[in-house]
Structure formats: C-alpha cells, structure tokens
Amino acid sequence: MSALSELMNPKRVKIGLQAKDKEGVLRELVDLLDIPEENKEILLEALKRREELGSTGIGRGIAIPHSRSTVIDNLYLVIGVSKEGVDFDAVDGRPVHIFFLLVAPPNDPGSRYLIYLGRVAQLAKKIVENNVDYLSVESPEELIELLSSLEKE
Amino acid sequence: MDSLSKKLLVLQDIELKLRDLRDPRYIETFGKVDEERIKALEEAKKKLEAEIPKDKLNLFKSLMKMHGRAVAIVIEGDTCSNCFAKLPVGIQPPGPDEIVQCNICGLILYFDN
Ligand SMILES: [Zn+2]
C-alpha cells in the first residue's frame, strides 16, 4: 500500500478557499475534481448526506469530508485550506481551516478507501501534535511537501 | 415519483454507507455513528426496497453480492461509469418502471436527466 502523499496532486489542492459555509466549501473542493458537472452534483449530494450523519469536522480546525460515489472512477484526495476558517459544525465548534476530501468508487479493491481514511486521520493527528503551520503555506506544491514529510516522520 | 433506476441508485448509496459505518476500520477513524442515525438509514432502506418490484430487487441484490455494486451512471450520454464501455448507439433511457443494463458489465444504468 502506497503512502497517502501519492494521492496528493497540486491540481487537487487549493490554498485560500473562498467559501464561507459548509455547502459552499464542499462545492469548492468537489470543483477541483476532473469529473463532468452533473456528476459533481451527485457527489455533492452524497457528501451532504454523510455530513447529516454527523459532521466530519474532527476538531482542532480539521475536517475530513468523505463518501463513496457511483460517479467516481478512482480514489481521490482533495485538500483545501481556508485562512478565515469555515463553520463546519465541527465536534469542538471551532472553525475549520484545513479540509481533506476523500472520495472513492462504490467498490474499490482491497478497501483502499477505508485504509486511506485511516491514514488521513493519522496525518490530521500529526498536524495537531506538531502544531503544523499550514496556514502560512503559499502554494499547493509547498503544502504537499509539508504534508508528505509529516507523513514520513 | 423517482424512476426505478433512481431508486436503485439511492438504495445502493444507502447500502454502501451502512457497510462502511459498520466497518471496524471506519469506526476506528470516525468513531461510532449514533445508533439512531443508523436505524434511520436502515428504515429508509426498507421503505425503498418495498417500492421496488421483487424481480428487480433480486437482480440488484445479486449484482451487489457479485460485484459490490449494482448501479452505474451513464457518462456523456453513451459511456458506462463502471466499465467505461461505450453503450450501443441510440441507447435510450428506460421508462420510469423499467431498467436497462450495461451490455458489457451488466450493471443497471442510471441516466442522469
Ligand atoms: Zn458497464
């Protein structure tokens, strides 16, 4: 199983998210995926339904929205950073500054989806433990480098 | 009223979600989701199943068992989202109570709009 950082692609990283609310930020993240517009709507619905089960805002400024969807052909990780923070109904009530969106096809060989979800959660824990300053990062490439080296630690 | 293929698409979504929520790896990452919310999902599933003709529901279940998924989306009007095969020229969305399957992978096709 390869590292989480291998799923990171500058095309799917956005520094400076504009959205101010939950739906807006999910839309902004989904927009970074190279899939047809109508499929983005279907994926967005699935993500919103998951949030209704309980927020994926795990606290300390981090959220991990995720879903399987029929409209997704592969496992994708999208990362977004919001300087101002977004109210995401996080468990600790704090605004969310970094989002890890993980989406996968309905069936993925070897349950990579569940394994990578666990890895994202581990990475989130490291971000908190090391008090990583991701808000001062200026480019997608820089963020990927920062997170990749953190993952290897 | 939703078409039969839309209902099957939603049913698939619910089943996959229930499966993930019960997976120990998922619980380890996100904790246990409220039992009440899981119950609500199961009830939604039952209600939906009751609206689907028995033969179609059996087909859905056997596809889920065999492939882990039963419904695919038609992309750009002519491609199966599961196997990426080009569908036969002139393929039309089925009537509201009918279904069409991909001629290559066999999954039930959902035509968006
Ligand atoms: Zn197919």
Side-chain angles (χ1 to χ4, degrees):
Chain A
M1 183 74 61
S2 50
L4 185 61
S5 50
E6 282 176 29
L7 284 184
M8 296 178 193
N9 182 318
K11 283 191 287 190
R12 292 190 289 275
V13 176
K14 187 165 182 180
I15 308 296
L17 292 168
Q18 299 297 311
K20 303 278 177 253
D21 59 18
K22 190 180 264 197
E23 175 159 359
V25 80
L26 289 175
R27 189 175 287 278
E28 212 175 343
L29 293 167
V30 165
D31 255 335
L32 296 180
L33 290 169
D34 186 19
I35 59 173
E37 286 303 316
E38 67 261 32
N39 291 355
K40 288 181 182 174
E41 294 302 322
I42 294 173
L43 176 59
L44 201 55
E45 276 308 309
L47 288 165
K48 287 197 289 190
R49 281 201 295 268
R50 171 59 190 85
E51 293 302 321
E52 284 164 13
L53 291 173
S55 176
T56 60
I58 57 170
R60 310 288 287 268
I62 301 171
I64 312 174
H66 57 273
S67 185
R68 289 185 199 268
S69 176
T70 312
V71 300
I72 293 294
D73 60 345
N74 207 339
L75 191 67
Y76 292 111
L77 176 67
V78 178
I79 308 173
V81 174
S82 165
K83 307 252 183 219
E84 294 79 22
V86 180
D87 179 6
F88 210 71
D89 300 319
V91 290
D92 59 359
R94 290 205 226 171
V96 172
H97 289 279
I98 188 162
F99 294 87
F100 295 92
L101 172 83
L102 191 73
V103 293
N107 199 26
D108 59 317
S111 290
R112 288 160 74 223
Y113 171 62
L114 292 170
I115 293 165
Y116 279 112
L117 264 179
R119 289 195 182 172
V120 175
Q122 276 170 23
L123 184 64
K125 211 169 137 199
K126 283 188 182 175
I127 290 173
V128 171
E129 282 169 359
N130 295 285
N131 212 357
V132 174
D133 178 22
Y134 53 82
L135 286 180
S136 62
V137 163
E138 285 175 353
S139 71
E141 290 78 7
E142 204 185 319
L143 185 68
I144 290 175
E145 206 178 300
L146 178 72
L147 297 176
S148 308
S149 60
L150 189 64
E151 192 189 16
K152 284 190 208 105
E153 270 175 25
Chain B
M1 195 63 163
D2 280 336
S3 68
L4 181 56
S5 55
K6 176 75 184 278
K7 283 178 187 167
L8 292 166
L9 181 73
V10 175
L11 184 62
Q12 168 168 284
D13 200 44
I14 295 175
E15 289 215 353
L16 294 170
K17 200 154 283 168
L18 281 168
R19 200 174 65 191
D20 286 340
L21 294 174
R22 291 191 186 109
D23 193 293
R25 286 166 295 190
Y26 190 92
I27 294 169
E28 202 183 307
T29 307
F30 288 96
K32 252 184 151 26
V33 165
D34 285 354
E35 213 34 59
E36 267 173 45
R37 284 172 165 146
I38 291 192
K39 259 191 203 134
L41 267 183
E42 273 167 352
E43 267 156 36
K45 179 182 154 186
K46 263 191 211 145
K47 197 169 155 241
L48 201 53
E49 282 180 345
E51 292 175 18
I52 297 166
K54 208 159 188 244
D55 58 329
K56 306 292 195 296
L57 186 60
N58 286 341
L59 171 68
F60 173 87
K61 286 184 174 171
S62 65
L63 287 168
M64 283 300 277
K65 206 173 205 172
M66 214 167 9
H67 303 291
R69 55 209 184 282
V71 185
I73 302 241
V74 177
I75 315 169
E76 283 157 13
D78 67 354
T79 306
C80 167
S81 72
N82 182 56
C83 68
F84 295 101
K86 281 261 184 242
L87 301 169
V89 177
I91 189 163
Q92 292 290 323
D97 302 317
E98 303 295 319
I99 54 166
V100 173
Q101 289 172 266
C102 171
N103 54 341
I104 304 296
C105 70
L107 259 61
I108 299 160
L109 294 170
Y110 172 74
F111 290 75
D112 196 35
N113 58 62

Short mmCIF file of all heavy atoms in Angstrom, two decimals, chain A residues 65-88:
data_model
loop_
_atom_site.label_atom_id
_atom_site.label_comp_id
_atom_site.label_asym_id
_atom_site.label_seq_id
_atom_site.Cartn_x
_atom_site.Cartn_y
_atom_site.Cartn_z
N PRO A 65 -14.22 15.45 5.09
CA PRO A 65 -15.44 15.02 4.40
C PRO A 65 -15.12 13.85 3.46
O PRO A 65 -14.03 13.82 2.86
CB PRO A 65 -15.87 16.27 3.61
CG PRO A 65 -14.70 17.18 3.58
CD PRO A 65 -13.82 16.82 4.75
N HIS A 66 -16.04 12.91 3.35
CA HIS A 66 -15.74 11.73 2.54
C HIS A 66 -17.01 11.03 2.09
O HIS A 66 -18.04 11.14 2.75
CB HIS A 66 -14.88 10.73 3.35
CG HIS A 66 -15.54 10.32 4.64
ND1 HIS A 66 -15.39 11.06 5.79
CD2 HIS A 66 -16.36 9.31 4.95
CE1 HIS A 66 -16.06 10.48 6.76
NE2 HIS A 66 -16.68 9.41 6.28
N SER A 67 -16.91 10.32 0.99
CA SER A 67 -18.02 9.50 0.54
C SER A 67 -17.56 8.58 -0.58
O SER A 67 -16.63 8.89 -1.30
CB SER A 67 -19.16 10.38 0.01
OG SER A 67 -20.27 9.57 -0.32
N ARG A 68 -18.26 7.48 -0.67
CA ARG A 68 -18.16 6.71 -1.91
C ARG A 68 -19.20 7.28 -2.84
O ARG A 68 -20.21 7.81 -2.41
CB ARG A 68 -18.53 5.25 -1.65
CG ARG A 68 -17.53 4.49 -0.85
CD ARG A 68 -18.01 3.06 -0.80
NE ARG A 68 -17.38 2.33 0.29
CZ ARG A 68 -16.27 1.63 0.15
NH1 ARG A 68 -15.65 1.58 -1.01
NH2 ARG A 68 -15.77 0.97 1.17
N SER A 69 -18.95 7.14 -4.13
CA SER A 69 -19.98 7.56 -5.06
C SER A 69 -19.86 6.81 -6.37
O SER A 69 -18.76 6.52 -6.85
CB SER A 69 -19.87 9.06 -5.34
OG SER A 69 -20.82 9.42 -6.31
N THR A 70 -21.01 6.53 -6.94
CA THR A 70 -21.07 5.83 -8.23
C THR A 70 -20.41 6.66 -9.33
O THR A 70 -19.95 6.11 -10.32
CB THR A 70 -22.55 5.60 -8.58
OG1 THR A 70 -23.19 5.04 -7.43
CG2 THR A 70 -22.71 4.65 -9.74
N VAL A 71 -20.35 7.98 -9.15
CA VAL A 71 -19.82 8.83 -10.22
C VAL A 71 -18.30 8.98 -10.17
O VAL A 71 -17.71 9.68 -10.98
CB VAL A 71 -20.46 10.24 -10.20
CG1 VAL A 71 -21.96 10.15 -10.38
CG2 VAL A 71 -20.13 10.99 -8.93
N ILE A 72 -17.66 8.31 -9.22
CA ILE A 72 -16.21 8.43 -9.08
C ILE A 72 -15.55 7.17 -9.63
O ILE A 72 -15.98 6.06 -9.35
CB ILE A 72 -15.86 8.61 -7.58
CG1 ILE A 72 -16.38 9.95 -7.07
CG2 ILE A 72 -14.37 8.49 -7.32
CD1 ILE A 72 -15.70 11.14 -7.69
N ASP A 73 -14.50 7.35 -10.43
CA ASP A 73 -13.85 6.19 -11.07
C ASP A 73 -12.60 5.75 -10.33
O ASP A 73 -12.04 4.72 -10.64
CB ASP A 73 -13.51 6.52 -12.53
CG ASP A 73 -12.55 7.71 -12.63
OD1 ASP A 73 -12.40 8.44 -11.63
OD2 ASP A 73 -11.95 7.90 -13.70
N ASN A 74 -12.15 6.54 -9.38
CA ASN A 74 -10.90 6.21 -8.71
C ASN A 74 -10.91 6.86 -7.33
O ASN A 74 -11.78 7.66 -7.02
CB ASN A 74 -9.74 6.76 -9.53
CG ASN A 74 -8.48 5.96 -9.32
OD1 ASN A 74 -8.33 5.25 -8.32
ND2 ASN A 74 -7.55 6.05 -10.25
N LEU A 75 -9.91 6.52 -6.53
CA LEU A 75 -9.79 7.13 -5.22
C LEU A 75 -9.12 8.50 -5.39
O LEU A 75 -8.06 8.60 -6.00
CB LEU A 75 -8.91 6.21 -4.37
CG LEU A 75 -8.80 6.45 -2.88
CD1 LEU A 75 -10.13 6.18 -2.20
CD2 LEU A 75 -7.74 5.52 -2.30
N TYR A 76 -9.76 9.55 -4.86
CA TYR A 76 -9.18 10.90 -4.99
C TYR A 76 -9.12 11.59 -3.64
O TYR A 76 -10.06 11.50 -2.84
CB TYR A 76 -10.02 11.78 -5.92
CG TYR A 76 -10.00 11.37 -7.36
CD1 TYR A 76 -11.15 10.85 -7.96
CD2 TYR A 76 -8.85 11.50 -8.12
CE1 TYR A 76 -11.15 10.48 -9.30
CE2 TYR A 76 -8.84 11.12 -9.47
CZ TYR A 76 -9.99 10.61 -10.03
OH TYR A 76 -9.99 10.24 -11.36
N LEU A 77 -8.03 12.31 -3.44
CA LEU A 77 -7.89 13.15 -2.26
C LEU A 77 -7.80 14.60 -2.72
O LEU A 77 -6.99 14.92 -3.59
CB LEU A 77 -6.62 12.75 -1.49
CG LEU A 77 -6.27 13.60 -0.26
CD1 LEU A 77 -7.30 13.43 0.84
CD2 LEU A 77 -4.89 13.23 0.27
N VAL A 78 -8.65 15.45 -2.15
CA VAL A 78 -8.61 16.88 -2.45
C VAL A 78 -8.33 17.60 -1.13
O VAL A 78 -8.92 17.26 -0.10
CB VAL A 78 -9.97 17.38 -3.01
CG1 VAL A 78 -9.93 18.88 -3.28
CG2 VAL A 78 -10.34 16.62 -4.28
N ILE A 79 -7.41 18.56 -1.18
CA ILE A 79 -7.07 19.28 0.05
C ILE A 79 -7.33 20.76 -0.15
O ILE A 79 -7.00 21.33 -1.19
CB ILE A 79 -5.58 19.06 0.43
CG1 ILE A 79 -5.26 17.55 0.46
CG2 ILE A 79 -5.27 19.68 1.80
CD1 ILE A 79 -3.79 17.24 0.65
N GLY A 80 -7.96 21.38 0.83
CA GLY A 80 -8.23 22.82 0.76
C GLY A 80 -7.89 23.50 2.07
O GLY A 80 -8.08 22.93 3.15
N VAL A 81 -7.36 24.72 1.94
CA VAL A 81 -7.01 25.49 3.14
C VAL A 81 -7.79 26.80 3.13
O VAL A 81 -7.86 27.49 2.12
CB VAL A 81 -5.49 25.78 3.18
CG1 VAL A 81 -5.15 26.71 4.35
CG2 VAL A 81 -4.69 24.49 3.28
N SER A 82 -8.42 27.10 4.24
CA SER A 82 -9.16 28.36 4.38
C SER A 82 -8.51 29.20 5.48
O SER A 82 -8.45 28.77 6.63
CB SER A 82 -10.62 28.06 4.74
OG SER A 82 -11.25 29.24 5.20
N LYS A 83 -8.02 30.37 5.09
CA LYS A 83 -7.33 31.22 6.08
C LYS A 83 -8.32 31.70 7.15
O LYS A 83 -8.00 31.73 8.33
CB LYS A 83 -6.71 32.44 5.39
CG LYS A 83 -5.83 32.06 4.22
CD LYS A 83 -4.35 32.26 4.50
CE LYS A 83 -3.56 31.92 3.25
NZ LYS A 83 -2.34 31.25 3.35
N GLU A 84 -9.53 32.06 6.70
CA GLU A 84 -10.52 32.62 7.64
C GLU A 84 -11.19 31.53 8.46
O GLU A 84 -11.68 31.79 9.55
CB GLU A 84 -11.60 33.42 6.90
CG GLU A 84 -11.10 34.68 6.22
CD GLU A 84 -10.40 34.39 4.89
OE1 GLU A 84 -10.65 33.32 4.32
OE2 GLU A 84 -9.59 35.22 4.46
N GLY A 85 -11.26 30.33 7.91
CA GLY A 85 -11.95 29.25 8.59
C GLY A 85 -13.42 29.21 8.21
O GLY A 85 -14.00 30.23 7.83
N VAL A 86 -14.00 28.02 8.25
CA VAL A 86 -15.39 27.81 7.85
C VAL A 86 -16.14 27.11 8.99
O VAL A 86 -15.60 26.17 9.59
CB VAL A 86 -15.46 26.92 6.58
CG1 VAL A 86 -16.91 26.69 6.16
CG2 VAL A 86 -14.67 27.54 5.44
N ASP A 87 -17.35 27.59 9.28
CA ASP A 87 -18.16 26.90 10.28
C ASP A 87 -18.65 25.59 9.67
O ASP A 87 -19.42 25.58 8.72
CB ASP A 87 -19.35 27.79 10.66
CG ASP A 87 -20.25 27.10 11.68
OD1 ASP A 87 -19.88 26.01 12.16
OD2 ASP A 87 -21.31 27.66 12.00
N PHE A 88 -18.18 24.48 10.21
CA PHE A 88 -18.47 23.17 9.63
C PHE A 88 -19.17 22.27 10.66
O PHE A 88 -19.16 21.06 10.53
CB PHE A 88 -17.15 22.54 9.16
CG PHE A 88 -17.28 21.61 7.98
CD1 PHE A 88 -17.57 22.10 6.71
CD2 PHE A 88 -17.09 20.25 8.14
CE1 PHE A 88 -17.67 21.23 5.63
CE2 PHE A 88 -17.20 19.38 7.05
CZ PHE A 88 -17.49 19.88 5.80
#
